[in-house]
């Protein structure tokens, strides 16, 4: 456990989402003891195995619509909404339990074919539909930047996100979260406007 890094990240004016993929519930508890309060999981099954109602949880990985019902009463934020189909299912399941579910729209700013996310040109259409949903509350945007050593490319992707986030804030209420940056690029993300970072690997080194 990299306690020095954890203390540093917790001192920054950003929200730290500790990514606990492939780590145990005991390690989650150890992070909590060090002051971490928000945890992110990629896979629903792994999330359910280590879920603790005392902690704040975000789903940050690609979420299948048929899995929404298993997590809707347990998560504070779904960061990876990338389609109308998924947003509609979240609306349906949240309505069943009388909850308003906070979400982020995940945008595809990278040209990597393996990266998920909503194409930028589809954002306005999805926003229009989400605005009509009573049990889904949009809080902002999320992205995964290109996995590259090209810092300028990463900076460009983060700047694109920040510009879209700023535009969103001007037009809608409740917009307060720009989630971008992981273990290898979170310092760049913070420099370019991120207020939420998702760090996993570096915490456990």
């Amino acid at each position: 456990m990299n306690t020095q890094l954890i203390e540093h990240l917790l001192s920054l004016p950003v929200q730290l989402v500790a990514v606990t993929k492939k780590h145990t519930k005991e390690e989650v508890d150890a992070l909590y003891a060090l002051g971490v309060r928000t945890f992110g999981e990629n896979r629903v099954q792994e999330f359910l195995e280590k879920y603790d109602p005392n902690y704040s949880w975000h789903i940050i990985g690609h979420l299948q619509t048929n899995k929404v019902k298993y997590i809707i009463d347990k998560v504070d934020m779904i960061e990876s909404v990338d389609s109308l189909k998924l947003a509609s299912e979240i609306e349906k399941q949240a309505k069943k339990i009388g909850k308003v579910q906070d979400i982020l729209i995940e945008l595809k700013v990278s040209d990597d074919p393996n990266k998920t996310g909503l194409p930028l040109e589809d954002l306005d259409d999805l926003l229009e539909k989400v605005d009509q949903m009573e049990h889904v509350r949009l809080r902002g945007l999320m992205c995964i930047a290109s996995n590259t050593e090209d810092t300028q490319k990463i900076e460009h992707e983060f700047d694109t996100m920040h510009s879209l986030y700023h535009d969103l804030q001007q037009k809608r209420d409740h917009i307060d979260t720009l989630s971008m940056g992981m273990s290898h690029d979170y310092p760049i993300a913070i420099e370019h406007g991120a207020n939420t970072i998702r760090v996993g690997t570096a915490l456990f080194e």
Side-chain angles (χ1 to χ4, degrees), residues 134-197:
E134 297 180 1
H135 298 85
V136 169
R137 177 169 50 212
L138 178 64
R139 294 279 300 280
L141 302 174
M142 182 267 248
C143 78
I144 301 172
S146 296
N147 186 11
T148 175
E149 299 298 318
D150 185 348
T151 302
Q152 285 188 318
K153 183 176 177 65
I154 296 171
E155 288 178 341
H156 174 71
E157 292 170 359
F158 286 156
D159 282 340
T160 297
M161 287 295 296
H162 187 256
S163 177
L164 291 167
Y165 172 71
H166 181 72
D167 289 346
L168 208 56
Q169 278 191 312
Q170 306 306 307
K171 300 171 184 173
R172 285 171 173 77
D173 297 329
H174 311 299
I175 304 299
D176 59 8
T177 305
L178 179 57
S179 175
M180 54 188 197
M182 302 190 294
S183 287
H184 63 288
D185 60 10
Y186 73 83
I188 305 172
I190 294 171
E191 286 176 13
H192 292 264
N195 56 34
T196 298
I197 56 175

Side-chain angles (χ1 to χ4, degrees), residues 1-12 16 30-31 34-36 186 197 199 201-205:
M1 202 75 73
N2 191 336
T3 55
Q4 190 171 357
L5 176 63
I6 293 165
E7 288 174 7
H8 169 66
L9 294 178
L10 290 173
S11 73
L12 298 175
L16 170 63
L31 285 171
L34 291 170
V36 177
Y186 73 83
I197 56 175
V199 181
T201 306
L203 302 181
F204 299 95
E205 291 175 342

Side-chain angles (χ1 to χ4, degrees), residues 22-74:
K22 297 181 180 176
H23 291 279
T24 64
K25 175 60 165 59
E26 288 72 26
E27 288 173 299
V28 173
D29 293 340
L31 285 171
Y32 187 85
L34 291 170
V36 177
R37 293 294 176 263
T38 305
F39 301 89
E41 277 293 334
N42 290 62
R43 299 179 182 279
V44 168
Q45 185 59 44
E46 195 174 345
F47 162 70
L48 294 172
E49 288 170 0
K50 65 186 81 163
Y51 170 69
D52 186 322
N54 295 307
Y55 304 165
S56 176
W57 296 91
H58 290 198
I59 291 293
I60 60 173
H62 181 67
L63 179 60
Q64 296 173 301
T65 52
N66 64 352
K67 301 287 181 65
V68 173
K69 60 180 176 285
Y70 300 116
I71 57 100
I72 195 69
D73 60 335
K74 298 177 176 66

Side-chain angles (χ1 to χ4, degrees), residues 85-107:
K85 182 182 177 184
L86 178 55
S88 299
E89 183 65 18
I90 294 169
E91 166 70 16
K92 174 185 170 182
Q93 297 299 335
K95 183 178 181 179
K96 285 183 181 179
I97 62 170
K99 176 185 184 181
V100 177
Q101 178 64 58
D102 286 335
I103 69 163
L104 304 181
I105 292 176
E106 180 184 358
L107 291 174

